Amino acid sequence: MALNFNSGFEFLKNNLAQIPGFKSDKKYIIFESDDWGSLRVGTKDALSKFKKKGLRTDDPYIQYDTIATENDLSNLFEILSAFKDLNGNNPIITANMNIANPDFEKIRNSQFTKYYYECFTKTIEKLGDRGNPIRLWKEGIQKRLIKPQFHGREHLNIGFWLNALKAHHNETLYAFDCNSYGLITNTPFSKKKHYLAAFDFFSFSEIVQQSQVLTDGINLFYEIFGFYPTSFIAPQYIWHLEHEKKLKELGIKYIQGHRKQIVPLDNNLNYKKKFHYSGQRNIYNQFYLSRNCYFEPNLSEKDWVDSCLNDIKTAFNWRKPAIIGTHRVNFVTKLNSSKIKMNLKNLKYLLNQIKLRWPDVNFVSTDDLGSIMDRSCR
């Protein structure tokens, strides 16, 4: 029988990555979910206009991702409420929040000379078709079904985007007129083909403005939820050590991510890569938490339940917490209601299998896990 080299390599890599860092005899399950609060495209009308204009819409985030409705949260919480660990805790979603979106009207009125933002709660009011999700957010927090944490003020690189608008970049302007920024486009105004990497830069001098974005975002987070976040994950997994320094000043103790951090270089179009593991600490005494399991059914066609269960098994075999990455796009219905029903059904099946295979599992949030790691090192 022929061996699958790629499968063997992935198996070896995933196991080797489990060796360093925090270990525990307890089996921890953490669900980390990104992009809550952001509105990249967000409406069917905007998506239709993108298609008519010939803009790329083959990305699942463009096709399906938008701000959650009241029903979205209700359906998600119903599933989470049906399961408990030995301590009586439900599975809890660490919802990494982009707490604001562009205020398109004010930016337009300034003729692109100044950037303005609005709280995501204001965006929900403007959309007018999401019900009252804020009530569900507060209820979910109280019942420990969801725990907001910080993903940035916006899921948007303000400098890159505003420079493109000022220069009248055609596709960016068209998307702007659709009250959208989440397009894929060839542009000289961003290192990537989109504007989503909020903490990317061309020049190190841009970190000054980005530090203010972090400050404003965390203060706005507190105004909405009544507590400060203690963990952060950078949009597109791109950030610099200087961002970590500012985050430390703002009370961030734990930095979420993949195993690989993408670090922008000063006055350079390229990046360097840094690898992290859960329990590793930086020079500011912040912990890194690296995802080692994934449940992303809206991003590609495969058996995500089986794949995630195998990831969890590998993590537990190495006495590591199973940190499951899953984006908001998997659970929101406004642009794609039919597939979400299957995603929720699979989430329920995943949780059921977790309980059957590991009945002594512990469901915790990211900040809970960070505190556990912190105490273990004292």
Side-chain angles (χ1 to χ4, degrees):
M1 182 176 67
L3 295 176
N4 187 324
F5 176 80
N6 288 332
S7 296
F9 178 76
E10 284 299 315
F11 176 82
L12 179 63
K13 183 175 70 173
N14 288 339
N15 277 271
L16 289 175
Q18 308 288 347
I19 295 175
F22 172 79
K23 296 182 186 295
S24 174
D25 291 327
K26 292 187 176 180
K27 297 179 176 66
Y28 293 110
I29 292 279
I30 303 91
F31 285 93
E32 293 183 346
S33 185
D34 300 345
D35 303 343
W36 297 85
S38 65
L39 188 74
R40 303 180 187 184
V41 178
T43 68
K44 288 184 178 180
D45 181 58
L47 187 60
S48 176
K49 288 179 179 178
F50 271 39
K51 291 177 179 177
K52 287 180 181 178
K53 184 70 173 178
L55 301 183
R56 283 186 57 184
T57 58
D58 55 333
D59 183 276
Y61 292 104
I62 293 175
Q63 292 178 348
Y64 309 131
D65 199 22
T66 186
I67 287 182
T69 67
E70 183 176 358
N71 284 338
D72 292 335
L73 292 173
S74 179
N75 292 335
L76 180 58
F77 293 167
E78 182 180 354
I79 290 172
L80 299 175
S81 299
F83 297 90
K84 291 184 184 295
D85 65 17
L86 287 178
N87 300 311
N89 297 313
N90 300 111
I92 181 169
I93 302 290
T94 298
N96 294 308
M97 303 292 303
N98 294 108
I99 214 73
N101 292 293
D103 188 324
F104 290 90
E105 183 177 359
K106 288 184 178 179
I107 297 169
R108 185 181 290 109
N109 290 340
S110 79
Q111 297 182 329
F112 312 124
T113 60
K114 191 172 180 180
Y115 179 80
Y116 296 90
Y117 65 87
E118 63 187 20
C119 177
F120 85 100
T121 57
K122 184 68 174 178
T123 308
I124 290 171
E125 289 177 17
K126 287 182 175 180
L127 288 170
D129 60 356
R130 310 294 149 121
N132 185 12
I134 305 305
R135 177 184 65 82
L136 267 293
W137 276 103
K138 293 179 178 179
E139 182 180 314
I141 293 168
Q142 183 181 17
K143 293 181 177 179
R144 285 192 55 79
L145 299 171
I146 200 162
K147 183 65 179 289
Q149 290 294 290
F150 194 53
H151 194 25
R153 195 181 70 189
E154 299 91 348
H155 206 305
L156 171 67
N157 190 296
I158 295 163
F160 293 173
W161 188 59
L162 208 57
N163 285 337
L165 292 170
K166 288 176 184 176
H168 302 290
H169 182 257
N170 183 53
E171 291 184 338
T172 307
L173 277 174
Y174 186 84
F176 182 94
D177 288 336
C178 299
N179 287 352
S180 303
Y181 61 85
L183 75 161
I184 300 172
T185 178
N186 290 315
T187 169
F189 303 99
S190 172
K191 290 186 183 182
K192 292 180 170 285
K193 294 182 179 181
H194 53 67
Y195 302 108
L196 302 179
F199 302 105
D200 198 358
F201 55 75
F202 284 109
S203 169
F204 195 74
S205 61
E206 295 170 55
I207 291 182
V208 175
Q209 182 263 341
Q210 292 175 356
S211 294
Q212 187 60 50
V213 167
L214 289 170
T215 302
D216 292 347
I218 284 181
N219 288 336
L220 187 56
F221 185 105
Y222 178 80
E223 288 179 24
I224 296 166
F225 295 115
F227 61 89
Y228 287 104
T230 55
S231 74
F232 164 80
I233 183 165
Q236 303 294 300
Y237 319 108
I238 298 175
W239 78 97
H240 191 275
L241 184 63
E242 282 298 306
H243 295 120
E244 295 178 9
K245 179 180 179 181
K246 184 63 182 179
L247 289 162
K248 176 68 174 182
E249 295 172 8
L250 295 169
I252 297 297
K253 300 177 183 179
Y254 317 116
I255 299 172
Q256 304 174 43
H258 292 316
R259 294 168 184 146
K260 181 175 65 179
Q261 172 189 356
I262 304 171
V263 184
L265 301 176
D266 188 28
N267 296 314
N268 195 311
L269 292 176
N270 297 318
Y271 305 89
K272 69 176 180 180
K273 299 174 183 177
K274 292 177 68 175
F275 292 88
H276 299 299
Y277 54 85
S278 292
Q280 178 188 6
R281 284 196 273 193
N282 67 11
I283 61 173
Y284 305 115
N285 210 32
Q286 295 163 304
F287 281 101
Y288 297 104
L289 288 83
S290 296
R291 295 172 184 176
N292 52 4
C293 311
Y294 296 93
F295 177 73
E296 300 281 15
N298 257 25
L299 300 191
S300 67
E301 295 293 336
K302 75 173 190 177
D303 188 339
W304 281 97
V305 173
D306 184 65
S307 174
C308 189
L309 289 169
N310 284 332
D311 289 342
I312 294 170
K313 180 181 178 182
T314 301
F316 287 167
N317 283 345
W318 288 95
R319 299 171 52 231
K320 308 288 281 190
I323 305 177
I324 303 170
T326 181
H327 282 73
R328 176 189 65 177
V329 69
N330 299 301
F331 309 115
V332 290
T333 58
K334 209 63 185 172
L335 300 181
N336 179 36
S337 59
S338 59
K339 192 171 183 181
I340 301 305
K341 292 179 182 178
M342 180 57 68
N343 293 352
L344 291 173
K345 182 178 179 180
N346 284 333
L347 175 63
K348 186 175 181 178
Y349 182 64
L350 172 64
L351 289 167
N352 186 58
Q353 287 297 304
I354 288 171
K355 285 287 293 172
L356 285 173
R357 299 184 188 197
W358 303 285
D360 55 342
V361 74
N362 293 265
F363 295 122
V364 296
S365 61
T366 295
D367 52 315
D368 290 333
L369 178 63
S371 296
I372 291 165
M373 287 182 176
D374 206 353
R375 290 195 299 270
S376 75
C377 295
R378 292 177 186 173

